Amino acid sequence: MSDTVKYLLDESRLPKAWYNINADLPEPMAPVLHPGTKQPVGPDDLAPLFPQAVIQQEMSTEREIEIPEPVRDVYRQWRPSPLYRARRLEQALGTPARIYYKYEGVSPAGSHKPNTAIPQAFYNQQEGVKRITTETGAGQWGSSLALAGALFGLEIAVYMVKVSFNQKPYRRAFMESFGATCIASPSNTTEAGRAILAKNPDSTGSLGIAISEAVEMAVQRDDTKYALGSVLNHVLLHQTVIGLEAMEQMAMADDYPDMIIGCTGGGSNFAGIVFPFLGEQLRGGRKVDIVAVEPAACPTLTRGKFAYDFGDTGHLTPLTKMHTLGSSFVPPGFHAGGLRYHGMAPQISHLTHLGYIQPRAYHQTECFEAGLQFARAEGIIPAPEANHAVKATIDEALRCRESGEAKSILFNLCGHGNFDMQAYTDFLAGKLEDQEYDEAEGAMALSGLPSVG
Ligand SMILES: *Cc1c(COP(=O)(O)O)cnc(C)c1O
């Protein structure tokens, strides 16, 4: 009984619809505001950036939104993804807890990101768009959109945060293999990039800056739109395919999670696994403890303000109410590149504010330690981002060992770390350092929050 157990759904159980948590929110969200007028945005305001189908999803309050058949066709290549019972890890920890993980590293890009890249590319293609611009942090999102662009015949231009561009040359090769273009950001191809470089020629970049560059390029051409890999409602919606499958797989295991854990950068993989379960709870079903894990060096949920802010550094995006460290905050260059964002998904911020989600922050070295312990028991090397969820899971399992409580814990293993060997090399050589959240820089970034009447 010590072997890891795998719960597989057959393809016929691939979800037919995504789950929209807007249908079940206990209180409505604050409206999204136009950056100029500070009035609520309408569909027309977003039309230069996104196809109509995506805009409708962004604003929808329908509980179920159908997954188009051509999207399910691509999903079938790796979905339903497996859910594992981590028996060998449980044994190594000597815990009475039951640990489950949903594994999203089986996608062609190695993470959960294609779950939304595929539908976004599909909707753009349906509406005649030829080209999509985007940003990428660690490279997973750029890789996923590059893949989706190849499958749906779209040109993809990716602005990659410079620190990651230099740390992860194989991610760039991956994107280019699928025919995408990859540009280190800040770059001199946009006004936003040139403005940053003029002030700081050595800028290592940030997601906020890369978003400004990608948005600027998208609005200049009619045949071009923009795609975002996290944060927005429609992205979180697409990721719920993870949790919908996990619910069925937990039922196969004859179990239900007492606790669900995910790492949060912009919040999409976390929402993906959590929202279907949280929706059950909001409709009067079983209660579940929900833990969001973030890096201590970029502590958006634990140290940020819940306020209106821009999604980007150049202030081109609409204003959303979210937990934020300030749009000018540039996180230090730690290795979990996917978690280096100043803001958080408004839906997750809202639900955290209402008390449904408990945020928690960890330093990177303790996360890598946990990731190696997981790898040596389960045989999968997690992405540095996913190590944050692994760390919280191990802590909870050890707590159960102390208390003797046999909790059921589910976490999202949102990606593998096979492209992140430089990070593991540095960790194993003892070269990784923990970086503190810079209080002074943080206070400065927060003092620049826009005033909203
Ligand atoms: C992009 C990414 C993240 C962070 O984004 P979320 O929207 O918070 O999920 C985390 N882990 C992996 C593996 C990623 O690729």
Side-chain angles (χ1 to χ4, degrees), residues 62-106:
E62 295 280 314
R63 183 170 290 121
E64 292 194 340
I65 295 179
E66 192 188 324
I67 307 176
E69 205 40 48
V71 172
R72 295 180 81 233
D73 257 348
V74 180
Y75 275 180
R76 272 189 204 96
Q77 189 180 338
W78 71 93
R79 306 211 71 88
S81 69
L83 180 127
Y84 295 88
R85 169 93 184 259
R87 284 194 189 269
R88 288 193 296 259
L89 179 64
E90 292 169 14
Q91 221 172 35
L93 297 170
T95 178
R98 300 183 299 286
I99 302 175
Y100 298 88
Y101 60 96
K102 178 77 165 158
Y103 186 39
E104 290 296 307
V106 292

Side-chain angles (χ1 to χ4, degrees), residues 86-346:
R87 284 194 189 269
R88 288 193 296 259
L89 179 64
E90 292 169 14
Q91 221 172 35
L93 297 170
T95 178
R98 300 183 299 286
I99 302 175
Y100 298 88
Y101 60 96
K102 178 77 165 158
Y103 186 39
E104 290 296 307
V106 292
S107 83
S111 77
H112 63 288
K113 296 274 182 9
N115 295 335
T116 183
I118 300 299
Q120 290 197 53
F122 167 75
Y123 292 124
N124 274 289
Q125 182 228 37
Q126 289 290 293
E127 295 182 28
V129 174
K130 299 285 179 252
R131 193 163 160 264
I132 302 179
T133 63
T134 196
E135 72 292 324
T136 195
Q140 288 119 330
W141 170 241
S143 298
S144 303
L145 198 65
L147 160 77
L151 297 179
F152 290 99
L154 297 162
E155 226 183 283
I156 307 291
V158 182
Y159 286 87
M160 184 168 185
V161 176
K162 199 174 275 172
V163 60
S164 297
F165 186 90
N166 294 329
Q167 277 172 349
K168 300 182 179 181
Y170 294 154
R171 277 291 174 191
R172 175 185 174 188
F174 188 101
M175 292 178 235
E176 290 176 350
S177 298
F178 284 104
T181 316
C182 180
I183 308 127
S185 166
S187 76
N188 54 21
T189 65
T190 65
E191 264 179 49
R194 286 190 293 270
I196 297 284
L197 289 172
K199 269 194 263 173
N200 178 9
D202 299 325
S203 169
T204 52
S206 70
L207 273 175
I209 296 169
I211 293 173
S212 295
E213 293 206 90
V215 167
E216 185 182 324
M217 290 308 273
V219 297
Q220 281 172 9
R221 274 170 55 168
D222 278 348
D223 65 350
T224 304
K225 300 238 186 261
Y226 165 75
L228 193 63
S230 186
V231 179
L232 297 179
N233 299 351
H234 67 271
V235 179
L236 276 53
L237 170 81
H238 299 156
Q239 293 295 354
T240 59
V241 67
I242 302 172
L244 292 165
E245 290 174 6
M247 281 185 116
E248 288 214 38
Q249 288 163 313
M250 289 300 296
M252 284 170 83
D254 206 13
D255 209 340
Y256 197 88
D258 298 308
M259 177 176 271
I260 308 178
I261 298 173
C263 68
T264 45
S268 71
N269 88 84
F270 171 85
I273 194 154
V274 160
F275 280 4
F277 290 94
L278 183 53
E280 266 307 285
Q281 176 183 333
L282 293 172
R283 294 190 300 275
R286 204 160 144 176
K287 188 181 173 311
V288 53
D289 287 330
I290 296 172
V291 179
V293 192
E294 61 185 11
C298 187
T300 314
L301 281 171
T302 51
R303 308 283 295 276
K305 256 194 191 165
F306 184 50
Y308 272 102
D309 198 6
F310 294 96
D312 70 324
T313 309
H315 298 178
L316 301 174
T317 68
L319 293 164
T320 51
K321 193 166 183 191
M322 61 180 175
H323 287 82
T324 178
L325 295 168
S327 64
S328 65
F329 180 73
V330 177
F334 56 84
H335 270 287
L339 306 184
R340 297 176 72 244
Y341 184 57
H342 70 272
M344 184 52 61

